[in-house]
Amino acid sequence: DAGVTQSPTHLIKTRGQQVTLRCSPKSGHDTVSWYQQALGQGPQFIFQYYEEEERQRGNFPDRFSGHQFPNYSSELNVNALLLGDSALYLCASTIGDRGNQPQHFGDGTRLSIL
Amino acid sequence: KNEVEQSPQNLTAQEGEFITINCSYSVGISALHWLQQHPGGGIVSLFMLSSGKKKHGRLIATINIQEKHSSLHITASHPRDSAVYICAVRFGTGANNLFFGTGTRLTVIP
């Protein structure tokens, strides 16, 4: 039973570029959340997808966008990359959007902006 | 303001010691999570609780809703317990997202 998988594991980009990160949820899960974790900090909520719609959003600019596919997998897109976007991006999946189920996390994608 | 605070930030212990990590939050919550993060980034969910106490192996998590406080205890600590332990909460019943503390870095010395 595969857990949450994220790709790629590491990525290096330059300022101004665009990036797409991918997440496959744990089998049986239909809800995906994305988090950004800067070095030495706790994760910060970016947004959550359920039924292919963005259901909740944290305090992140419109440069951060996402998508959920019919198979429940998800993508995080970041445009016009800034140095401050360098971070570990974590995907978490769960069942339903009511918040009463545990979240399962992937190993993250480490994004470095040069 | 929704805040989650953990203490201590760093903790070094000798193998076999009993360890306590604390988490306080500012307003009412519907659930609290304890998570473990190893170097490299992967996060493992240890507990989700909304009241009382849960135990899994050498790990015990407690929560006091009235005092807005939770503790994670590790009995008979082992070097493999070395990791960052993070407290995360879901505030209220409307929001589904988690708010995280900054974590406690635990190092267990043989």
Side-chain angles (χ1 to χ4, degrees):
Chain A
D1 179 22
V4 179
T5 58
Q6 292 186 242
S7 63
T9 54
H10 294 85
L11 200 51
I12 300 174
K13 291 285 189 178
T14 57
R15 283 179 295 175
Q17 286 189 310
Q18 177 265 344
V19 68
T20 297
L21 310 182
R22 295 176 175 83
C23 173
S24 292
K26 180 179 169 64
S27 178
H29 287 189
D30 57 7
T31 303
V32 173
S33 299
W34 286 93
Y35 297 88
Q36 180 196 65
Q37 186 177 23
L39 197 62
Q41 302 295 315
Q44 299 285 321
F45 174 73
I46 303 175
F47 42 54
Q48 182 184 77
Y49 277 83
Y50 175 68
E51 293 186 337
E52 301 180 50
E53 290 185 357
E54 182 183 295
R55 294 304 185 102
Q56 293 180 5
R57 188 179 183 91
N59 188 26
F60 280 80
D62 291 344
R63 298 187 297 110
F64 290 76
S65 63
H67 189 76
Q68 186 178 35
F69 298 94
N71 67 352
Y72 308 121
S73 67
S74 178
E75 289 182 349
L76 164 65
N77 301 293
V78 187
N79 295 322
L81 287 166
L82 303 173
L83 293 177
D85 296 331
S86 294
L88 178 70
Y89 288 84
L90 293 160
C91 168
S93 72
T94 189
I95 299 170
D97 67 340
R98 301 187 65 182
N100 58 357
Q101 298 293 325
Q103 293 200 18
H104 293 251
F105 288 81
D107 290 338
T109 294
R110 189 164 298 280
L111 175 63
S112 299
I113 311 301
L114 302 180
Chain B
K1 183 179 177 183
N2 298 337
E3 291 184 341
V4 182
E5 293 187 354
Q6 285 186 238
S7 63
Q9 288 188 320
N10 294 282
L11 182 57
T12 301
Q14 289 292 133
E15 183 174 357
E17 285 187 8
F18 180 84
I19 289 163
T20 296
I21 299 171
N22 298 298
C23 175
S24 298
Y25 47 91
S26 55
V27 297
I29 64 169
S30 57
L32 183 143
H33 299 248
W34 281 104
L35 309 164
Q36 180 192 57
Q37 187 171 34
H38 282 280
I43 290 179
V44 174
S45 179
L46 300 175
F47 297 103
M48 183 178 81
L49 65 166
S50 56
S51 64
K53 175 180 173 179
K54 288 190 175 181
K55 183 177 188 293
H56 181 70
R58 295 180 294 106
L59 302 178
I60 303 167
T62 63
I63 188 168
N64 185 318
I65 296 297
Q66 287 72 31
E67 295 188 0
K68 298 184 177 59
H69 180 269
S70 175
S71 293
L72 176 68
H73 306 286
I74 305 175
T75 62
S77 59
H78 190 276
R80 65 175 174 266
D81 297 327
S82 298
V84 175
Y85 292 84
I86 303 174
C87 169
V89 303
R90 177 174 170 252
F91 288 108
T93 57
N96 196 16
N97 52 296
L98 296 178
F99 287 83
F100 292 76
T102 55
T104 294
R105 183 174 298 278
L106 171 65
T107 303
V108 182
I109 300 171

